[in-house]
Amino acid sequence: MASPPCGNLDSGLEIKTRSVEQTLIPLVSQITTLINHKERPKKSERTLAAIQRVGQAVSVAVGRFVAVGEAIAVENRELKEEMGHACFEARRAGDAIAQLTDVATACAPPSQSMTVFSDRTSMVKAARLLLSSVTKVLVLADRIVIKQIVMSRNKVLVTLEHLERVSTFQEFVQIFSQFGNEMVDFAHLTGDRQNDLKDEKKKARMAAARAVLEKCTMMLLTASKTCLRHPDCESARINKDAVFQRMRCALEQVVDIVTEARGCTDSVLPASIYNAVKDYKTSIECLRDNLYASPPDTVGRQMEALVERTEDFTDSAYTGHEQRQAILGLCQLARQDAHQLLHAWTQAQQSVQAKETTEELEIAIAKSCQSVNDLRRELHKVAVGRASELLRLNTEQSPLRTLKAAGTEGNLEAVAQYSRTLTEQKEQLVENCRLLCHVSGTEPLEITCVHAEETFHVIGPQIISAAQTLALHPSSKIAKENLEVFCEAWESQMGDVAQLLREINDVMDGKRGDKRVYLSLPRSGKHSANLKNAKPIKLDAEEQSSVAKVGLELRLLSSDIDAELEKWEDQEHQVVRHSQSIASMAYNMHLFTRGEGLLKTTLDLFHQAEVLSDEGLKLCASLNTLCTQLVSEEKPALMSEIEKLRVLCQQLQAGARSPVQGKSATFQKVDSSIQTTRAVLTLILNIIPVCNKLATKYKSERSSLGSPQDWLPDVSTPIRDGDTVLHNNNNNNGDHRGDFAVKPFEQRIAGLSLLESN
């Protein structure tokens, strides 16, 4: 065998995607099986044969794995050296494990053999080297996905430049068709990547950038057509240029996220009051255990920073007098309680043995925590209340209707008047998004608030320029269509704000406020193949009323499932993650029955039902895997329930894909999809408590055989001797890949499963 290239494997190699983690889990499981046998004093022939089978299975699987890795290195010359080294180390470790588990070696005299039973050090070394090298191969392969996204972005940018320079309708139609195909490919690649990312902040930023691209694609079409139809119109040119600029920024943002360029993953969010409250409470609550945990001046500065951030509320022209006075009063109270805390703290440090002083400090900490919580609740009430009022005004007194009417009439003076009204509303929305960011409660929601702020800031002037163009050319159908598209984008963003408010309220109420959205573009030939020509339909009031009861049951069942899942000790278990995914999607379907949420039309609902069925089938696979590890009298009954679940998921999938014609048939399909989803949730709710009990029992029995934690790499401390930082937490955040069921790098590296040939 040739010598490996010089140098060690990258130290501190970080796993950034769930799919890499999940591919490593079978390998960890196999090696765990080998290690767990080391403590058994008696080794029967059957035990030795089983150990040899596992060892050989690992070696053979690693051999196949390495062969694919080497083929990738040949096709991607820039990875050749690193991939070759990683493959060499993986093969060497696999061979070592096969030798250590060889029956002939194990049966030899102890003085003449080194086996998994007698030489624990060699087994640990081989296991760690194998995990390190296999991880390196997977991470290198993942670079290919990043490369594909960058190349796809570059193709889109080139076509975008061509679109910007076209001068005839015929040329525009031809190039826009190419642009559309490239954007669909880019959407699929980035959708896969978004769902595969482990970092929730990255996922939120990716979602925001992809939302911009999705909305701007239609804007680009109508803005370009308007500019071609009216080439001498300055407002049409301004409108078009703004769309192209925004698309370029979004394309760059996506690539910055996947390549981690310019430190985008560490980009600083606006300083929020929620984080200021959290930091302050953390500092003072630490005093219960250690009076010297923080210096007093640090706590004082934290309180002043918190109060300073409330100026965004008190300085706002849109904050009412009573609300302003309430905020100022709570700020003063928080300062007073902080001052009393510092006094009690000083006294406690000077007389740490005095019981009265300790009680005084405890009371001061509790009072200070309560005062900042009251301040946060008041600020939350102000921000959410104003946002709700703006949403109501947009529904009842939207300036868009009058602006469109003035443009159609060719009334430039009226357009200017209503544009000022829209600008004022836009400024209120922008400011309100900043206030919501203060009280959002999670970093992903903060990112969503920032995205909403940027969207309103940009789209307001775009609507005005589109209205000016229509007023100058009131008979132009394309100018009218263009204004309509921008107004629809505004309304869509208002709907997103309504959803954002519900999630912020969920966080404030202690509920799970990060309900994930599973909508994405269907992959061609995979999803919704029979729905391509179907017409999207919105339910009328009567139809919504008839499905509302079942929709409410979906919400209750999803809440019950969440409650059951919280009882699981391992919150990263595949069963937990897939079940959370299904509960979240069912919650989206519940919102649809109320005319809320992001599922706007029946096609959206059918697509969501199909994605839910896919997630259900993945859950069935995870449940079957769990059952193979169990030995219990309850196992046959559980297997029967899993089979029922699989049948229901297939039924839901088939129903979602079946074509229908006419509104009546469409509504029947809606009702059937929701009813079947309810049956799926009911069955899951029956299954997961049993699984939790059996999984806990199985874990307890395994732990009695010996723990593998003493040989696995420490996930909290990087291994600096050539091993990777392996986060061995069996994390399958089921998210839940939406439509994109195939793991990104597995699209390129087919057959890398390490669980074959058991």
Side-chain angles (χ1 to χ4, degrees), residues 392-418:
R392 185 187 64 79
L393 287 174
N394 182 73
T395 302
E396 298 177 358
Q397 306 172 20
S398 175
L400 299 181
R401 288 191 290 270
T402 52
L403 192 59
K404 286 189 283 188
T408 303
E409 295 168 0
N411 190 338
L412 282 169
E413 187 175 332
V415 165
Q417 176 187 343
Y418 296 130

Side-chain angles (χ1 to χ4, degrees), residues 115-309:
T115 71
V116 66
F117 302 103
S118 63
D119 189 9
R120 181 175 181 273
T121 301
S122 295
M123 189 63 195
V124 169
K125 183 177 179 181
R128 296 180 67 171
L129 178 60
L130 183 59
L131 290 172
S132 173
S133 54
V134 167
T135 303
K136 183 64 180 289
V137 172
L138 292 171
V139 172
L140 288 173
D142 192 51
R143 289 188 196 172
I144 299 171
V145 180
I146 297 174
K147 178 181 175 182
Q148 288 174 340
I149 292 175
V150 173
M151 291 175 63
S152 179
R153 185 283 310 262
N154 292 341
K155 289 172 63 178
V156 170
L157 277 178
V158 170
T159 309
L160 199 63
E161 291 178 4
H162 291 165
L163 271 178
E164 198 170 16
R165 295 196 302 265
V166 297
S167 56
T168 66
F169 272 104
Q170 183 178 3
E171 185 182 7
F172 174 80
V173 170
Q174 181 180 358
I175 296 177
F176 189 83
S177 176
Q178 176 187 345
F179 174 77
N181 291 332
E182 292 172 353
M183 280 299 296
V184 168
D185 291 340
F186 187 71
H188 286 319
L189 288 171
T190 54
D192 283 348
R193 191 66 180 180
Q194 176 186 324
N195 288 330
D196 197 36
L197 290 170
K198 291 172 59 182
D199 190 303
E200 292 298 326
K201 290 186 291 183
K202 286 186 188 178
K203 293 178 73 169
R205 290 192 175 95
M206 181 78 86
R210 294 179 72 235
V212 170
L213 293 173
E214 180 182 350
K215 293 176 181 177
C216 280
T217 300
M218 180 55 71
M219 297 178 190
L220 184 144
L221 173 62
T222 57
S224 298
K225 287 166 64 178
T226 303
C227 209
L228 287 171
R229 179 68 181 83
H230 308 288
D232 299 327
C233 182
E234 180 66 12
S235 58
R237 184 191 61 77
I238 292 173
N239 183 258
K240 170 191 166 185
D241 289 348
V243 176
F244 275 88
Q245 177 61 25
R246 196 163 186 229
M247 286 205 75
R248 286 194 177 94
C249 289
L251 288 166
E252 287 302 315
Q253 183 179 352
V254 168
V255 170
D256 285 348
I257 293 167
V258 299
T259 61
E260 299 185 345
R262 292 186 278 181
C264 75
T265 57
D266 299 320
S267 57
V268 179
L269 289 167
S272 72
I273 289 170
Y274 173 82
N275 287 328
V277 169
K278 184 172 67 173
D279 292 343
Y280 176 77
K281 288 173 63 179
T282 299
S283 294
I284 65 175
E285 286 173 347
C286 286
L287 300 179
R288 292 190 173 106
D289 300 321
N290 181 3
L291 288 174
Y292 302 94
S294 301
D297 57 340
T298 298
V299 174
R301 285 196 302 269
Q302 287 177 328
M303 173 53 68
E304 290 307 311
L306 193 163
V307 172
E308 182 180 344
R309 292 176 194 178

